[in-house]
Amino acid sequence: MVSRRSILALGCLTMTLLVSGCSGQSETRDERGPIELTTAMPPAKTSVDLVKWALPFGEPLSLDPSKAFGESEETVVANLCESVLRMAPDNAVRPGLATSADWVNRTTFVIKVRPGVKFWDGTPMTAADVAYSLKRNIDPKVQSSYAGAYRMVSGIRKTGPMQVTIDFRQHDAQFRNALASYSGAVMQKRFTEKIGRGIGTPAGGLMCTGPYKLVKWSPGDRITVTGNDTYWGGAPKVRTLDFQFITDSSTLTSALLAGEVDGAFNAPVESVKAFQNSDQGELVTGPSSSFVGFFPTTARGPAADPRVRQALNLSLDKKAFIDNVLLGYGKPLKTMTPPIVWEGIPGHEIYRTAYDRLPGNEPDLDRAKALIAEAKPAKKKLVFAMKGGDTLALQAATLIQAAARELGFDAKIRTLQPTDFDAFFFDASKRASVDFVVSPGWIEVPGALYYAPEYALQDGVFNYSKYNDPQVTKLLESARTSTDPDETARLFSQAQAKFTEANLFVPLANTYVRVFINKHLTGVTTSSAFHTSPWAAQLGGK
């Protein structure tokens, strides 16, 4: 279902893109002025019995951290299962379940496990639990979404009661930061082995260390968690946190404005003016590594041709998208890696210089049509898949569809149910007869090498188009194995210039985090760090 307001916005947007019509494209933005970005709300002062939190992307597929791939999974798991290191709201990597985790030489990485941490059942967390949890990422039977972080690992072993050592074939410049994602999540070994394949399911459950513990997963309805009174970071102030699956944007907006739901991340952007004017709560905006765009899902047909992808890129008026669809809640993005990912790490000056040199991809319909004439695609049909109920994705897909039709393609949008959409990324059969997927994305941790290789390397998780450039591969591998941050930045930037030109991922915008929260509540992380950090640990009453 799509609200009438969204349909009108789509019509205006399409006309803006194709015939430069529709006035007032930045009216809301001009009235509001610059958008203030906040990384976290002040910590709570008082206790609250129940908080209802919406999951706009629907019911999670699994609560197993190794499969925490989508926003729904991450929003819940972040408060249940912690990682060795932790993402702070300001996008810095801090100690988590390890007091320290770092390289002792080029190929040896040592984790010192935090003492005094207990699982929900009261048993202490040990180095054996940490080593077991990390090893799950390299177990092919687990099929971890984070196996790519362990590409260079040759072994993981317990080397003391509270110490784990990881051996590498070659140095990995990205690995330490990756441990702040679910690559470094820890679960109890005994419980996980006992449950087996059912771990993280409604029937199997979990055993972790986080500020909240799983009480019940009611399929099709909600997930209920309760505060962990023995949490090493201090007991949370919310007694019960109820995650409700509300995928329809109109329904979610109504529920938030009526106080039926207390909060949501990435609240519907088309409703921001209503949220701003609400007496029920407040809209808080945070800096983000999130983006929306599209990428190829096949190695055949026009989508596999970089000239077709570039033509689509050049046909899009991204400023109109930011002004008219995001209503200013985002900014331009030149490539698949938002600057926030490298702005706070060594070598950031080099990354910045290289990013600034990338083409801005201003609309150029004549050049786009020339590229299509050069490519001469044998098939003039394109299918764009998206998740059902996501109004922002629908608006983005409609924009892209209009651009494809302007280039002479018969372009169709295929809407997938949330569970089918999540499976789409791991099951090749789900991608049959689909050319592109339109989707939001985000990068969980700092470091340019965490995300881009999944599109640009042959074994990348999202390299469905079978992209293979030996020079890019060599540059990325050399960047990853370097111990000099400046060299890593230079090598990555050289690779980025090439794979960005290939349009492996076409971004429409870097989107801000939008949090609508009940006026009586405070304490949540409001930056994109909510994806992996326990964002509700400080949640509670004002």
Side-chain angles (χ1 to χ4, degrees):
M1 294 176 65
V2 183
S3 67
R4 181 179 178 185
R5 181 178 185 178
S6 300
I7 293 171
L8 291 173
L10 284 173
C12 181
L13 173 62
T14 301
M15 291 182 66
T16 300
L17 294 171
L18 299 183
V19 298
S20 301
C22 291
S23 61
Q25 69 179 43
S26 46
E27 177 182 354
T28 304
R29 191 176 184 183
D30 290 341
E31 288 177 354
R32 181 175 57 248
I35 296 173
E36 181 181 352
L37 301 181
T38 304
T39 59
M41 299 181 74
K45 300 293 185 183
T46 61
S47 298
V48 176
D49 287 335
L50 173 66
V51 170
K52 299 176 183 178
W53 202 268
L55 298 179
F57 285 84
E59 185 169 8
L61 287 178
S62 172
L63 296 183
D64 179 347
S66 71
K67 294 178 172 56
F69 173 76
E71 184 166 303
S72 292
E73 288 85 355
E74 293 186 353
T75 302
V76 179
V77 176
N79 295 290
L80 303 177
C81 301
E82 301 174 283
S83 294
V84 170
L85 297 175
R86 174 181 292 183
M87 281 289 294
D90 64 357
N91 213 47
V93 174
R94 308 290 188 200
L97 293 180
T99 55
S100 68
D102 220 329
W103 299 94
V104 295
N105 59 49
R106 185 180 179 88
T107 58
T108 307
F109 190 94
V110 173
I111 296 170
K112 293 184 180 180
V113 179
R114 183 179 296 278
V117 177
K118 295 181 180 180
F119 290 105
W120 300 328
D121 63 1
T123 59
M125 179 188 69
T126 68
D129 296 300
V130 175
Y132 168 79
S133 298
L134 301 186
K135 284 181 181 178
R136 293 184 76 242
N137 291 287
I138 56 178
D139 183 349
K141 295 179 181 178
V142 174
Q143 296 183 318
S144 170
S145 301
Y146 299 91
Y150 290 79
R151 280 192 180 101
M152 306 292 189
V153 171
S154 59
I156 302 173
R157 53 202 170 95
K158 172 186 170 185
T159 49
M162 303 299 282
Q163 180 175 292
V164 173
T165 299
I166 305 175
D167 300 307
F168 287 75
R169 292 184 294 275
Q170 298 183 75
H171 183 76
D172 187 342
Q174 182 61 44
F175 183 76
R176 184 180 187 277
N177 284 344
L179 289 180
S181 73
Y182 296 105
S183 306
V186 177
M187 298 192 294
Q188 188 187 77
K189 177 181 178 182
R190 183 181 64 185
F191 183 91
T192 306
E193 288 183 330
K194 177 183 177 181
I195 300 300
R197 295 182 64 180
I199 197 73
T201 65
L206 288 168
M207 184 58 64
C208 292
T209 65
Y212 290 87
K213 48 188 177 181
L214 180 64
V215 174
K216 186 178 183 181
W217 181 349
S218 304
D221 184 25
R222 68 191 63 205
I223 293 173
T224 302
V225 302
T226 189
N228 177 11
D229 292 335
T230 61
Y231 179 53
W232 65 272
K237 289 185 167 26
V238 174
R239 171 45 40 194
T240 301
L241 186 55
D242 233 11
F243 294 100
Q244 301 183 5
F245 320 138
I246 308 177
T247 58
D248 180 71
S249 296
S250 298
T251 302
L252 176 56
T253 296
S254 297
L256 289 168
L257 294 176
E260 297 167 0
V261 175
D262 297 305
F265 289 109
N266 292 324
V269 69
E270 68 272 21
S271 302
V272 293
K273 197 157 190 179
F275 294 141
Q276 291 165 356
N277 296 328
S278 172
D279 293 328
Q280 187 65 46
E282 62 178 313
L283 182 68
V284 186
T285 309
S288 173
S289 65
S290 297
F291 43 84
V292 61
F294 65 102
F295 62 96
T297 58
T298 177
R300 300 178 180 178
D305 190 325
R307 293 169 296 185
V308 172
R309 301 194 295 264
Q310 185 182 5
L312 287 170
N313 195 0
L314 291 171
S315 302
L316 300 170
D317 188 337
K318 298 175 183 180
K319 184 179 185 302
F321 180 78
I322 293 170
D323 288 341
N324 292 332
V325 176
L326 294 180
L327 302 178
Y329 282 80
K331 58 185 178 181
L333 183 60
K334 294 182 176 183
T335 184
M336 65 179 77
T337 305
I340 191 175
V341 169
W342 41 255
E343 282 176 336
I345 66 175
H348 60 87
E349 300 94 342
I350 297 170
Y351 288 113
R352 167 55 66 186
T353 299
Y355 181 85
D356 289 344
R357 288 174 178 167
L358 293 174
N361 289 321
E362 296 298 324
D364 188 341
L365 193 56
D366 290 339
R367 173 63 179 149
K369 290 181 176 179
L371 284 166
I372 296 299
E374 178 185 320
K376 298 179 181 178
K379 186 181 77 168
K380 295 301 289 285
K381 292 184 178 181
L382 290 174
V383 176
F384 296 88
M386 56 158 285
K387 177 181 280 191
D390 183 351
T391 302
L392 179 57
L394 176 60
Q395 291 172 319
T398 303
L399 180 159
I400 300 161
Q401 179 190 45
R405 288 177 173 172
E406 184 72 7
L407 295 175
F409 288 96
D410 176 14
K412 306 290 186 184
I413 297 174
R414 180 175 298 175
T415 301
L416 303 176
Q417 292 302 311
T419 53
D420 290 334
F421 184 79
D422 289 341
F424 180 91
F425 295 97
F426 302 102
D427 185 346
S429 67
K430 302 288 186 183
R431 299 191 294 273
S433 71
V434 173
D435 298 287
F436 291 97
V437 60
V438 182
S439 176
W442 54 90
I443 301 178
E444 288 97 338
V445 298
L449 287 162
Y450 185 73
Y451 190 73
E454 302 300 346
Y455 291 87
L457 294 181
Q458 280 187 286
D459 61 349
V461 173
F462 304 124
N463 188 5
Y464 306 131
S465 66
K466 306 299 182 185
Y467 174 80
N468 180 23
D469 184 319
Q471 185 179 3
V472 168
T473 298
K474 183 178 180 180
L475 287 167
L476 288 176
E477 289 178 348
S478 297
R480 189 161 183 167
T481 57
S482 175
T483 57
D484 179 354
D486 284 352
E487 182 184 23
T488 292
R490 282 192 294 269
L491 293 168
F492 173 83
S493 296
Q494 291 174 39
Q496 178 180 249
K498 291 184 67 66
F499 66 67
T500 297
E501 184 179 343
N503 288 274
L504 302 181
F505 185 99
V506 179
L508 298 183
N510 178 191
T511 56
Y512 299 144
V513 175
R514 304 173 306 278
V515 186
F516 185 78
I517 186 168
N518 186 285
K519 62 184 178 182
H520 300 296
L521 299 175
T522 185
V524 298
T525 298
T526 53
S527 71
S528 55
F530 83 85
H531 286 286
T532 54
S533 64
W535 57 266
Q538 304 297 320
L539 176 63
K542 292 181 178 179

